[in-house]
Amino acid sequence: MNIALLGGAFNPPHLGHAMIARQILDFTPTDEVWLLPNFNQFPPKPVAPVEHRLAMTQFLSDKKVKVSTLEIDKKLDGQTIHLLPFLPKEHAYHFVIGSDQLASFHFWGDWKSLLHQIPFYVFPRYGYPNEPLYKNMTVISDELLIATNISSTKIRARVDAGKTITEFVLPGVAEYIKQHNLYETI
């Protein structure tokens, strides 16, 4: 089975994540997308507690989009290279990144070895170059592809500013954020 791994903080998960997962399935030979909320953030930055991020990410799952707790269960440090030994050997994998990650990819832990061990799909993001910088990276491209600039950073800022997020996250995620008072600094 061909698995695309979409890792990240999911702080919070949003419709951009759902769009990426759907289009990876539509425009690549991928059988399933696994969403991998990280246990720790690398480089470290403040995020909501892992149990909240995991609960919210579950709202994105469906028949072909699964939530994997592998990074959480193994208490990994957020560096993708440390995830690879724990992936089930019976599948073939691609790791998915947004084109916004290309400029800083050389800061990823052991990035050269990582590129040799797993191929990457690069999903276009508005305002960022969409050309792969390294071998073993394929930019997802199709005339029917829909890109967005929705980001977790903008969602958190909207919550903090008291603005609605209902058009940018699934209803369950919006309700979860409200019930748990996440992302409000007031």
Side-chain angles (χ1 to χ4, degrees), residues 14 16 42 46 67 70 83 93 100 102 113 131 139 141 149 160 162-164 166-167 172-173 179 186:
H14 51 72
F42 183 82
V67 177
L70 192 55
L83 167 70
Y93 299 95
D100 58 315
L102 288 175
S113 178
E131 295 298 322
V139 175
S141 177
N149 69 349
D160 188 44
K163 302 213 180 286
T164 183
T166 57
E167 290 81 13
V173 173
Q179 285 180 352
I186 301 171

Side-chain angles (χ1 to χ4, degrees), residues 152-167:
S152 296
T153 302
K154 289 181 181 181
I155 301 293
R156 292 191 308 271
R158 289 182 68 88
V159 170
D160 188 44
K163 302 213 180 286
T164 183
I165 60 170
T166 57
E167 290 81 13

Side-chain angles (χ1 to χ4, degrees), residues 6-151:
L6 179 55
F10 295 97
N11 188 43
H14 51 72
L15 291 179
H17 293 122
M19 289 172 60
I20 291 169
R22 176 72 258 158
Q23 293 181 101
I24 291 294
L25 290 165
D26 289 345
F27 301 121
T28 70
T30 297
D31 299 306
E32 288 183 357
V33 174
W34 291 0
L35 306 175
L36 290 151
N38 56 23
F39 179 72
N40 283 313
Q41 186 70 24
F42 183 82
K45 63 181 179 182
V47 293
V50 68
E51 62 271 12
H52 291 310
R53 295 183 290 108
L54 175 59
M56 290 186 289
T57 304
Q58 295 287 356
F59 287 104
L60 300 181
S61 66
D62 65 25
K63 186 177 177 183
K64 291 191 171 195
V65 178
K66 313 291 184 188
V67 177
S68 170
T69 59
L70 192 55
E71 286 200 37
I72 296 167
D73 296 343
K74 300 296 183 185
K75 295 182 174 26
L76 298 179
D77 60 7
Q79 295 188 60
T80 304
I81 192 78
H82 296 149
L83 167 70
L84 300 185
F86 298 106
L87 293 172
K89 303 298 183 225
E90 65 269 18
H91 303 303
Y93 299 95
H94 277 77
F95 201 85
V96 180
I97 61 172
S99 61
D100 58 315
Q101 296 291 311
L102 288 175
S104 61
F105 187 78
H106 63 282
F107 291 119
W108 287 36
D110 206 5
W111 65 275
K112 289 181 182 177
S113 178
L114 181 61
L115 278 171
H116 289 292
Q117 293 183 51
I118 188 168
F120 280 73
Y121 287 136
V122 178
F123 197 87
R125 294 269 316 254
Y126 285 128
Y128 295 93
N130 292 319
E131 295 298 322
L133 298 177
Y134 307 103
K135 292 180 181 178
N136 217 17
M137 287 186 169
T138 303
V139 175
I140 306 305
S141 177
D142 191 279
E143 64 181 32
L144 299 177
L145 185 124
I146 299 171
T148 181
N149 69 349
I150 297 173
S151 71

